[in-house]
Amino acid sequence: MSTAPRKRRLSHSLVLLVPAVLFGLLVTLQWRTQAERSELSVRYNAPLIDAANALQNEQNDLKTQLAQLRARLDEIQRNASSQSGTARELQTRLDELKASAGLMPETGDGVIVQLDDARNVSVSARDIDKSICHATDLTDIINTAWKGGAQAIAVNEERVVNSSSVYCVGSTIMVNGTLMSPAFTINVIGPQNELLAAYDDPNELKDIKQRRDVYGLGFRVTRASGVRVPAYAGALNLKYATPTER
């Protein structure tokens, strides 16, 4: 075999080998970079997650203590109200005000709203945001319940009152400062027909209903009896208030 063809084959092999080597180096570098990013992400997120969990546990303990103190205060007030007619009248009025403020548990007829991320539905990466729950979804559902005449509302056993807050923190949602993740169960006590009419209104919750039909967002409203809504367990941090007659 002549030298010239052998040189041409060698040259051709080198032409193919060099890009292959470079491609391999590029893939290796990218993999290492991704691994480093993952390690860094875990390294920096872990303390934040631990801190959030610690604060959540502390909040739960404080809520338990607050509930115990309120129960003790109720007992003292009931004992005092048994001593005179005036005290009994004041206790009755106090109980009414506490119920209006959401400080008393309630049970009654109403509806239950289920809200959840899309499950077992293929969604493109660009549409993933439309298939998951957001704080604004919960806010819209709660506001619709008030429009329908709701008397008491709870989200995952967290009572919603006038001072309640609902907002996103990363990939989780906070209600009254309590971290929550889907699925959400919204218990609503109130006139069933009016509540169902409010949720069935085509002008209400348009975005949620569209995302349910198109992207598989979990959203369902059902009539229910014996709906339980717990008392509000958070702090009362209002500075100014004006009493109104109902």
Side-chain angles (χ1 to χ4, degrees), residues 2 20 62 147 187 192 208 225:
S2 62
L62 291 174
K147 291 179 182 178
N187 288 359
Q192 292 177 322
I208 292 177
S225 299

Side-chain angles (χ1 to χ4, degrees), residues 44-229:
Y44 288 108
N45 284 339
L48 296 177
I49 295 173
D50 292 341
N53 290 333
L55 290 173
Q56 186 64 68
N57 292 334
E58 182 180 356
Q59 183 187 54
N60 293 337
D61 292 340
L62 291 174
K63 283 185 176 181
T64 300
Q65 295 177 31
L66 181 59
Q68 293 172 347
L69 290 173
R70 284 176 176 167
R72 177 57 179 159
L73 178 61
D74 290 342
E75 181 182 356
I76 294 173
Q77 290 171 340
R78 282 193 298 269
N79 292 336
S81 65
S82 63
Q83 298 177 4
S84 67
T86 302
R88 282 196 298 271
E89 292 177 2
L90 290 175
Q91 181 61 43
T92 299
R93 179 56 177 160
L94 180 60
D95 290 341
E96 293 174 353
L97 293 174
K98 289 173 65 177
S100 299
L103 299 178
M104 302 283 283
E106 296 190 35
T107 302
D109 295 339
V111 300
I112 295 178
V113 184
Q114 301 286 345
L115 180 68
D116 196 4
D117 293 342
R119 308 287 181 180
N120 302 322
V121 177
S122 178
V123 179
S124 63
R126 67 177 182 178
D127 293 328
I128 192 68
D129 190 60
K130 299 176 182 178
S131 67
I132 61 177
C133 304
H134 299 281
T136 52
D137 297 332
L138 283 178
T139 301
D140 291 342
I141 289 172
I142 292 170
N143 288 336
T144 301
W146 292 131
K147 291 179 182 178
Q151 300 165 3
I153 304 173
V155 179
N156 287 4
E157 296 297 312
E158 189 69 39
R159 181 69 174 265
V160 176
V161 295
N162 291 337
S163 61
S164 292
S165 59
V166 181
Y167 54 91
C168 286
V169 178
S171 60
T172 61
I173 295 176
M174 295 189 75
V175 179
N176 293 337
T178 299
L179 290 171
M180 297 184 182
S181 298
F184 298 100
T185 299
I186 301 95
N187 288 359
V188 183
I189 296 176
Q192 292 177 322
N193 291 337
E194 286 83 349
L195 288 169
L196 291 172
Y199 282 115
D200 289 338
D201 188 341
N203 295 318
E204 296 290 342
L205 307 177
K206 290 181 179 180
D207 180 63
I208 292 177
K209 293 173 181 176
Q210 181 187 35
R211 287 156 54 207
R212 174 195 60 191
D213 298 337
V214 177
Y215 302 102
L217 181 72
F219 174 68
R220 183 178 62 178
V221 183
T222 56
R223 184 190 299 264
S225 299
V227 178
R228 178 185 174 276
V229 172

Side-chain angles (χ1 to χ4, degrees), residues 26-43:
L26 179 61
V27 171
T28 302
L29 179 61
Q30 185 177 12
W31 180 83
R32 287 181 177 177
T33 303
Q34 186 63 39
E36 291 175 359
R37 287 179 180 175
S38 299
E39 292 175 1
L40 288 174
S41 177
V42 171
R43 186 184 309 163

